Amino acid sequence: MATNAAPTAPVCSAPMKATSNGAFQKENPLDFALPLLIVQIILVVSFTRLLAFLLRPLRQPRVIAEIIGGILLGPSALGRYQNFLDIIFPKKSMTVLDTLANIGLLYFLFLVGLELDIRAIRRTGTNSLIIAVAGISLPFILGIGASVVLRSTVNKGVSNIVFLVFMGVALSITAFPVLARILAELKLLTTDVGRIAMSAAAVNDVVAWILLALAIALSGSDSSYLVSVWVLLCGTAFIVFSIFVLKPILSVMARRSPEGEPVKELYICITLSIVLAAGLITDIIGIHALFGAFVVGIIIPKDGPFAGVLIEKIEDLVSGLFLPLYFASSGLKTNVATIEGSQSWGLLVLVIFTACFGKIVGTVVLAMLFKVPFIEALALGVLMNTKGLVELIVLNIGKDRKVLNDQTFAILVLMALFTTFITTPIVMAVYKPARKGKPYKNRKIQRQDLDSELRVLACFHSTRNIPTLINLIESSRGTRKKGQLCIYAMHLMELSERSSAISMIHKARKNGLPFWNKKPGDQNQMVIAFEAYQQLRSVVIRPMTAISPLNSIHEDICTSADRKRAALIIMPFHKHQRVDGTMESLGHSFHLVNQRVLRHAPCSVGILVDRGLGGTTQVVASEVSYSVVVPFFGSQDDREALAYGMRMAEHPGIKLTLLKFTPKPETALNPPKADMGAESKKDNEIFSEFLNLSKSSESVKHEAIAVGSREDVIAALRSMSNSTLFLVGRTSPAMPLSDRSSDCPELGHVGSYLASSDFSTTSSILVIQQYDPSINAMEKPLDDINEASNKTMSNGV
């Protein structure tokens, strides 16, 4: 008798429990969700960071390491070993991993929106706007042709229109955050190419999101186009709701978070909850939760500290820990092995060629129509071909919605990786902007023509340095009608791997001028301080911004000094004074910056040890009453310090004292040098000028001090310990004044002693090194420049 067997129901694996009872209870922790997730996070973060370190010499952005890391952890490499996948990335754990990765991605897109200034996009020039449109349109059009080929070969069975839109978006995207980092790494932010690229990429970013929303709306499982129309209409309604309902709520919280006061924890909690709620709404609509978070980030007011505090609260956790999980999740879906056979590899070459040709040719042609030189236009085209996170988001959404199969997905991921990887080396090869300015004569303070303009590049790290800088500028402005003082105030900002570094990049414009709005209360406070001082005094002050990693920011400083024809660079000392009088270091990296500037500077350099020159606020000119001391032992640096002191002595509120140290006949402070006679002659010449100045001014005096030991030098210096400012030559021919070895060789023997807490807690010190063409790095320039140009510069000193 025949029997009908009942159909067997599919067996579902039991869901993973959250935590285990421990290895001693004979349970494997990797069979439970939380321990396994911790192992996955540690593995992914460690692996991608190691790759980022290995790729650093190639100057590749971190996103390259994260994409490669995800691919290597997936079935393309380590995932080929089934035991590895079963233990570390079992299928039953992928829901938890993908969920956490998408929450991290949700907040990362919120950060991207938070840093995208719509007002800046509105002010984008016509040229940049047209170049951006061309850089999107041509790749999108060429993507139609590529989609036809792919659909007829490896990606059969999907809607033609939906696949066309996804391909067009994938080929036309420019990754704005990645582009910004590449420009900063190559120091092109303040060039014409960098300015146009930043503006065009910002426009491209917004257009890409609009096109992606369209692609998602069209890719629903329902074949009716009426559903897609409803999705787009509801998405538009959500944006309107966000602008007219959510934005006022967020604006109220921003207004109630004034400068100088902590932002309430309740406001942070409400904002982060709104991000999740907006993501839920857009997910219900059918255009992915990421859009809701992105829109909330855009509408948050950028004025005041509110947006900055939000970034500080979540960026490290999101960018450092959760975002790499998304790259790993994407890599686990990427199987390079699916690209096999000549047809598949030929399609990969076709897609890469189409993406590069469309972006580069479209950008180059339009740029040259606007009279951009060919080399700059080519560099711009290559830069606009940069892909990144948004590209992976597009591809993953396409794969999840069955628009892209495994082979097409792998081809497009490798295309994104390749086009981004080649950006830095190609731009470095084809575009080498002139970093050096024209040769100029006045590279030091001591000069023959005293009526010539004195140009100073004054650098600062934070608002802490500004009052002292302004008071030093006020003391240095002199009384000459012709010999005015021109100050370039450069804010030094470290470019880190954080996403918020993009918000700093927004401030960099042509000539290094930072961007600030003209609305009251919306200005850069540092710029306001210098602007206010400039209006009160006959001093030209031009704010600048240098945004670079600390290991290369000295190049920005030296290049700017050369291009602005500065005679003096003032650098803040890497230590600041605490309330108890001890000196606290800001970090070894800042210390190295000063040492590199001293080696490579194209002019004289001053290291400013700030002990509150004039107090913590700007001093009015009529209230300036400083006592300035110049210890003079005899050297070119001492002569430079004295020349600066003589200029300061022109200010009616400055009392200048010269301590002229001479060794007793039977002693010598240091062994004699071969060129002592020539040096002595130059010392006598500037001393004669000083004597003439002292005869015409009662506020200028000198003391001749015969010394036979370092105790005599110390006693003389201590007698002036109540002075406001010491101007010291870096290489004064004096013996070490302390038994302890100094950790600050850039200050010299005398400067190190004066900067020690044992000497004074109220006297500021400016340690000056005079420009010397025979040893200065202008003879070993930062950029390639021919020998003849070097000689011209040196002879022009």
Side-chain angles (χ1 to χ4, degrees):
M1 185 175 75
T3 57
N4 295 326
T8 304
V11 179
C12 298
S13 59
M16 298 180 74
K17 292 183 180 180
T19 57
S20 71
N21 293 321
F24 293 108
Q25 300 294 330
K26 297 183 179 179
E27 290 184 348
N28 183 0
L30 296 184
D31 290 336
F32 297 84
L34 181 60
L36 180 59
L37 181 63
I38 292 173
V39 171
Q40 290 170 341
I41 292 174
I42 292 173
L43 174 63
V44 170
V45 172
S46 303
F47 190 54
T48 53
R49 290 292 174 140
L50 175 62
L51 287 175
F53 176 77
L54 296 176
L55 290 173
R56 188 177 299 169
L58 300 178
R59 306 181 80 169
Q60 294 293 334
R62 197 172 78 190
V63 67
I64 290 289
E66 290 170 332
I67 294 175
I68 294 175
I71 293 174
L72 293 179
L73 289 172
S76 302
L78 295 175
R80 296 177 72 88
Y81 301 97
Q82 193 59 42
N83 288 339
F84 173 79
L85 283 182
D86 292 341
I87 295 173
I88 305 299
F89 295 106
K91 289 184 178 180
K92 58 184 178 182
S93 74
M94 294 312 296
T95 301
V96 176
L97 180 66
D98 287 346
T99 302
L100 190 61
N102 276 279
I103 288 178
L105 186 63
L106 191 80
Y107 278 112
F108 182 80
L109 266 296
F110 167 66
L111 288 175
V112 172
L114 200 58
E115 296 178 334
L116 192 63
D117 193 348
I118 296 296
R119 294 173 300 188
I121 295 178
R122 287 185 196 142
R123 287 186 288 269
T124 299
T126 307
N127 295 5
S128 299
L129 183 61
I130 295 176
I131 290 172
V133 172
I136 296 171
S137 304
L138 187 56
F140 196 95
I141 293 170
L142 293 177
I144 296 174
S147 68
V148 171
V149 176
L150 287 170
R151 189 167 177 268
S152 63
T153 52
V154 298
N155 207 76
K156 300 177 181 179
V158 297
S159 170
N160 188 28
I161 294 179
V162 175
F163 185 56
L164 183 152
V165 174
F166 264 96
M167 281 296 297
V169 174
L171 267 61
S172 60
I173 282 177
T174 296
F176 176 72
V178 180
L179 173 65
R181 294 186 187 283
I182 290 175
L183 288 171
E185 179 71 24
L186 300 180
K187 304 195 181 298
L188 300 178
L189 280 172
T190 57
T191 62
D192 288 339
V193 169
R195 178 177 54 82
I196 297 173
M198 288 284 288
S199 300
V203 175
N204 192 303
D205 216 29
V206 174
V207 174
W209 281 104
I210 296 172
L211 292 175
L212 180 57
L214 175 64
I216 292 174
L218 294 172
S219 63
S221 58
D222 196 314
S223 59
S224 173
Y225 286 108
L226 185 61
V227 173
S228 300
V229 173
W230 273 111
V231 170
L232 291 174
L233 288 176
C234 290
T236 305
F238 168 74
I239 294 174
V240 173
F241 172 80
S242 300
I243 294 173
F244 291 102
V245 178
L246 294 182
K247 187 174 181 179
I249 296 173
L250 294 167
S251 297
V252 169
M253 292 190 289
R255 284 196 301 270
R256 292 185 178 181
S257 305
E259 289 278 2
E261 295 184 14
V263 177
K264 293 183 179 179
E265 183 269 342
L266 178 63
Y267 294 166
I268 302 293
C269 182
I270 291 174
T271 304
L272 298 183
S273 300
I274 288 175
V275 173
L276 293 175
L280 173 63
I281 292 172
T282 52
D283 190 74
I284 292 172
I285 291 172
I287 53 172
H288 211 284
L290 301 179
F291 282 92
F294 183 67
V295 170
V296 172
I298 287 179
I299 63 175
I300 285 183
K302 307 302 188 289
D303 312 333
F306 188 61
V309 170
L310 285 170
I311 292 172
E312 290 177 5
K313 293 287 184 183
I314 64 175
E315 70 169 341
D316 288 338
L317 181 65
V318 169
S319 301
L321 213 57
F322 291 158
L323 197 59
L325 297 182
Y326 187 79
F327 290 98
S329 174
S330 177
L332 289 169
K333 302 173 189 175
T334 307
N335 189 357
V336 178
T338 59
I339 307 175
E340 57 182 359
S342 57
Q343 184 189 65
S344 296
W345 286 104
L347 290 173
L348 174 61
V349 174
L350 173 66
V351 170
I352 292 175
F353 175 78
T354 305
C356 295
F357 183 83
K359 271 289 183 185
I360 296 174
V361 172
T363 304
V364 168
V365 171
L366 263 295
M368 291 185 68
L369 287 179
F370 291 115
K371 299 181 179 179
V372 176
F374 173 73
I375 294 298
E376 294 186 10
L378 180 59
L380 184 60
V382 174
L383 287 166
M384 294 299 291
N385 200 31
T386 304
K387 311 294 181 187
L389 177 63
V390 180
E391 175 83 4
L392 282 188
I393 294 172
V394 172
L395 300 181
N396 277 280
I397 292 175
K399 190 172 191 305
D400 293 340
R401 301 208 169 204
K402 311 299 182 185
V403 177
L404 307 175
N405 61 21
D406 290 347
Q407 191 171 350
T408 308
F409 181 77
I411 287 173
L412 293 175
V413 169
L414 290 185
M415 178 272 295
L417 180 63
F418 179 80
T419 54
T420 306
F421 192 90
I422 65 173
T423 298
T424 298
I426 290 180
V427 172
M428 290 177 64
V430 303
Y431 184 60
K432 298 178 180 179
R435 300 278 175 132
K436 297 290 179 285
K438 297 179 180 178
Y440 64 101
K441 182 179 180 181
N442 293 320
R443 295 182 180 271
K444 45 191 177 183
I445 303 169
Q446 186 184 5
R447 59 186 68 176
Q448 297 295 325
D449 184 8
L450 298 179
D451 287 333
S452 59
E453 183 182 51
L454 178 62
R455 296 190 171 203
V456 178
L457 179 66
C459 302
F460 61 95
H461 296 299
S462 65
T463 53
R464 181 199 302 268
N465 310 124
I466 291 179
T468 291
L469 267 183
I470 291 181
N471 291 334
L472 182 63
I473 293 167
E474 167 62 27
S475 306
S476 309
R477 64 188 177 93
T479 56
R480 301 186 184 95
K481 293 182 179 179
K482 294 182 181 179
Q484 288 191 342
L485 186 64
C486 179
I487 302 293
Y488 294 93
M490 176 176 277
H491 184 195
L492 305 180
M493 304 176 76
E494 180 184 7
L495 179 70
S496 66
E497 287 290 344
R498 290 178 165 183
S499 60
S500 61
I502 302 169
S503 60
M504 296 193 303
I505 290 170
H506 282 307
K507 299 176 182 178
R509 299 187 70 193
K510 188 179 179 182
N511 299 324
L513 290 176
F515 171 79
W516 69 91
N517 296 308
K518 296 301 181 183
K519 293 181 180 179
D522 190 34
Q523 293 180 324
N524 185 314
Q525 296 299 317
M526 301 182 187
V527 173
I528 290 175
F530 287 110
E531 290 286 313
Y533 173 75
Q534 177 179 255
Q535 293 175 3
L536 296 174
R537 303 286 179 266
S538 59
V539 177
V540 179
I541 297 186
R542 296 175 183 171
M544 302 173 66
T545 304
I547 307 173
S548 282
L550 289 181
N551 61 2
S552 64
I553 200 168
H554 67 281
E555 297 177 13
D556 298 66
I557 297 169
C558 296
T559 299
S560 297
D562 190 60
R563 294 178 66 178
K564 303 301 182 183
R565 304 199 300 275
L568 176 66
I569 299 173
I570 297 179
M571 295 293 299
F573 189 46
H574 72 281
K575 296 181 181 180
H576 67 88
Q577 185 168 270
R578 295 167 54 178
V579 178
D580 60 0
T582 58
M583 301 296 286
E584 182 180 38
S585 176
L586 298 174
H588 185 60
S589 297
F590 293 98
H591 189 190
L592 294 178
V593 170
N594 288 352
Q595 293 182 357
R596 294 187 186 110
V597 170
L598 285 168
R599 286 197 302 269
H600 297 286
C603 60
S604 296
V605 181
I607 305 293
L608 179 60
V609 182
D610 181 9
R611 287 190 173 128
L613 177 64
T616 57
T617 57
Q618 178 184 332
V619 177
V620 181
S622 59
E623 297 179 0
V624 171
S625 180
Y626 301 154
S627 55
V628 179
V629 177
V630 180
F632 190 89
F633 295 84
S635 69
Q636 65 175 18
D637 291 349
D638 280 5
R639 293 193 294 272
E640 190 77 346
L642 181 55
Y644 192 42
M646 290 165 65
R647 183 180 177 95
M648 294 182 71
E650 296 176 11
H651 194 290
I654 300 295
K655 294 181 179 179
L656 177 66
T657 302
L658 173 66
L659 299 181
K660 191 172 187 299
F661 292 94
T662 55
K664 293 179 181 178
E666 68 276 8
T667 61
L669 296 180
N670 251 354
K673 297 181 180 179
D675 58 348
M676 188 65 72
E679 288 292 304
S680 179
K681 182 180 178 181
K682 293 177 182 178
D683 293 341
N684 292 333
E685 288 175 356
I686 194 169
F687 185 63
S688 299
E689 295 176 18
F690 174 82
L691 290 178
N692 293 333
L693 177 63
S694 64
K695 293 176 183 177
S696 60
S697 175
E698 296 180 355
S699 61
V700 177
K701 61 180 182 179
H702 79 280
E703 297 180 19
I705 303 175
V707 292
S709 64
R710 71 177 184 183
E711 285 73 19
D712 296 338
V713 178
I714 292 173
L717 293 174
R718 281 195 173 278
S719 67
M720 309 297 293
S721 60
N722 292 327
S723 301
T724 313
L725 177 67
F726 280 83
L727 299 176
V728 186
R730 177 175 176 243
T731 57
S732 296
M735 63 186 70
L737 302 182
S738 175
D739 293 327
R740 293 173 294 181
S741 60
S742 173
D743 60 346
C744 304
E746 68 273 17
L747 298 184
H749 296 323
V750 179
S752 296
Y753 173 71
L754 295 176
S756 65
S757 304
D758 299 335
F759 177 74
S760 173
T761 58
T762 57
S763 300
S764 297
I765 302 105
L766 184 64
V767 179
I768 297 177
Q769 171 184 282
Q770 188 181 64
Y771 172 70
D772 185 351
S774 64
I775 61 174
N776 192 271
M778 287 303 293
E779 299 296 312
K780 302 173 293 181
L782 301 174
D783 299 301
D784 293 333
I785 196 167
N786 58 49
E787 186 178 350
S789 178
N790 284 334
K791 291 180 179 178
T792 303
M793 287 186 178
S794 299
N795 294 335
V797 176

